[in-house]
Amino acid sequence: MTVDDTGSGTGVHPDPDGEPERDAYAEPEGNPLAIRLEQLILGAERRYTPFQAARSAGVSMELASRFWRAMGFADIGQAKALTEADVLALRRLAGLVEAGLLSEAMAVQVARSTGQTTARLAEWQIDSFLEGLTEPPEPGMTRTEVTYPLIELLLPELEEFLVYVWRRQLAAATGRVVQAADDEEMVDRRLAVGFADLVGFTRLTRRMEEEELGELVEAFETTAADLVAAHGGRLIKTLGDEVLFAADEAGTAAEIALRLIETMAHDETMPELRVGIAFGTVTTRMGDVFGTTVNLASRLTSIAPRDAVLVDGAFAEELIRTGEAPASEAEAAEAAAAAEKEGEEPPEYRFALQPMWQRPVRGLGVVEPWLLTRREETE
């Protein structure tokens, strides 16, 4: 959303030759289906220029432009490309700021985080979902002949499902935050953060066809996402050959890491995997995690042996503190002998920890990684 220097909102930016610049949001000439699809999806016709939309919403053009760009949309000059829904969205965001519920900077963050998340979702749905469904069902039919009725049927269902999942995720995230020990921990929290990385992925990209590579990445991301969710972790993001996950408890993260290794090892189509986990204070922003703990987990992943999990000292201490792993096998044997002598059940440890050689890690100094393994098979 940009406006001319006069602020009148009547012009578009000219090109160097003095001709008006054709706006990307101008109505597509000769393509009535594209216009009908846009109206179907947006639920309204184009009525406003950016200047008119900002004025109707009662916000400054500068703030409207910030919101628009934060949502991930290109500047559109002064084309008449906006709808009543755009005006309402501006009014709502500005209203939250006016009511003191959000600062202006936070409102822009809301717009940016929502835009980034939904942009990825929309791209995936078109590329992978709708594209396949709109293949002409019968010879002689064109894709355009089936696209409109299909979207007309899917749109309300997908919209309802999106709201449902968002509410579920919001409830889960809110529950985690309010259980924090204090206000400071709500922002800077102690978490277990792990990376899982496919070994030799760069070589694979040179040997495999694009379609095969895409299928492998999708299978890896899907398997990882399912395992992380099933065992109580949170998938932060996927990076093709790597996934980043987090968990509130060290034991949860340890179980996820070992399950990932075990599951991938049973799939002959998958490369070997390596995982690194660190435990400590993490800063969360817009659904992502940052800080030294995250950097350490990434470095541990890069030096982990194939099909193995390396953890840092703080993670090992947390597993020992919570009784998930013994400090050593000698200590485990002593505890078992003492329990037997007293006629009690010996402690049951889920995991084992083996200290590795200390080594310098770029940017983080000398660290002592621990090799994490499963001490005994658990259901």
Side-chain angles (χ1 to χ4, degrees):
M1 282 187 184
T2 56
V3 67
D4 56 18
D5 293 337
T6 65
S8 65
T10 58
V12 296
H13 295 294
D15 67 14
D17 297 325
E19 293 295 325
E21 179 182 297
R22 174 166 172 76
D23 197 275
Y25 280 76
E27 290 193 359
E29 297 176 1
N31 194 340
L33 176 64
I35 299 172
R36 289 177 61 217
L37 281 171
E38 180 187 277
Q39 291 176 357
L40 171 65
I41 294 170
L42 297 181
E45 297 181 359
R46 300 178 175 204
R47 291 186 53 189
Y48 302 96
T49 66
F51 181 81
Q52 292 168 340
R55 184 171 57 187
S56 296
V59 303
S60 69
M61 191 63 210
E62 179 185 0
L63 183 58
S65 295
R66 289 186 67 196
F67 285 153
W68 185 253
R69 290 167 181 163
M71 286 186 285
F73 300 121
D75 291 341
I76 59 176
Q78 283 304 314
K80 187 173 285 189
L82 305 183
T83 72
E84 286 288 352
D86 295 302
V87 173
L88 182 59
L90 287 175
R91 192 176 294 147
R92 280 176 170 162
L93 278 175
L96 292 173
V97 175
E98 290 174 6
L101 296 173
L102 295 178
S103 67
E104 186 174 308
M106 182 59 69
V108 171
Q109 278 195 354
V110 168
R112 179 169 290 112
S113 60
T114 306
Q116 290 177 356
T117 302
T118 53
R120 184 178 181 189
L121 175 63
E123 289 289 344
W124 178 87
Q125 288 175 331
I126 292 300
D127 291 345
S128 303
F129 184 46
L130 293 179
E131 183 176 338
L133 285 178
T134 54
E135 287 291 342
E138 297 179 11
M141 291 188 68
T142 64
R143 177 171 288 175
T144 56
E145 288 177 311
V146 297
T147 298
Y148 188 94
L150 179 65
I151 292 181
E152 190 173 29
L153 290 171
L154 283 174
L155 189 62
E157 302 301 325
L158 292 177
E159 183 176 13
E160 288 291 334
F161 188 69
L162 174 62
V163 173
Y164 155 73
V165 175
W166 171 72
R167 283 183 177 273
R168 269 289 178 187
Q169 293 287 4
L170 187 63
T174 303
R176 289 192 296 268
V177 169
V178 298
Q179 291 179 42
D182 50 46
D183 289 345
E184 184 177 340
E185 192 179 332
M186 288 186 180
V187 178
D188 297 318
R189 306 167 57 195
R190 284 178 63 78
L191 296 174
V193 178
F195 284 90
D197 178 54
L198 292 176
V199 177
F201 185 76
T202 303
R203 288 197 308 275
L204 286 176
T205 61
R206 294 194 291 264
R207 296 201 328 255
M208 299 179 71
E209 297 291 335
E210 287 187 9
E211 185 173 349
E212 290 180 297
L213 194 63
E215 290 175 353
L216 184 145
V217 168
E218 184 175 357
F220 168 58
E221 291 183 349
T222 299
T223 301
D226 288 349
L227 283 171
V228 170
H231 294 282
R234 298 185 297 285
L235 187 70
I236 304 299
K237 59 185 174 184
T238 59
L239 305 168
D241 63 329
E242 188 174 58
V243 297
L244 170 60
F245 65 92
D248 295 323
E249 307 293 337
T252 300
E255 183 65 30
I256 290 170
L258 292 172
R259 291 276 181 177
L260 283 170
I261 295 289
E262 292 158 2
T263 302
M264 297 297 176
H266 285 90
D267 187 341
E268 295 180 355
T269 66
M270 281 289 169
E272 294 163 306
L273 193 68
R274 53 190 174 196
V275 182
I277 316 176
F279 186 85
T281 301
V282 174
T283 298
T284 59
R285 291 288 185 277
M286 292 175 61
D288 207 344
V289 290
F290 306 92
T292 302
T293 302
V294 181
N295 295 338
L296 179 54
S298 178
R299 298 290 188 270
L300 288 170
T301 306
S302 66
I303 62 175
R306 296 166 182 253
D307 283 341
V309 182
L310 282 189
V311 304
D312 74 325
F315 187 91
E317 288 175 8
E318 186 68 9
L319 281 184
I320 295 167
R321 185 187 71 80
T322 56
E324 301 274 14
S328 66
E329 286 303 312
E331 181 180 289
E334 289 176 7
E340 184 178 1
K341 185 176 180 181
E342 298 294 329
E344 300 174 351
E345 289 292 324
E348 294 185 359
Y349 300 109
R350 297 167 62 195
F351 310 109
L353 293 162
Q354 177 185 342
M356 308 292 282
W357 292 104
Q358 290 186 352
R359 64 191 72 188
V361 174
R362 180 166 52 88
L364 296 170
V366 177
V367 299
E368 181 182 9
W370 295 67
L371 181 68
L372 173 73
T373 58
R374 193 182 295 285
R375 193 160 187 272
E376 60 182 4
E377 190 64 27
T378 59
E379 296 296 329

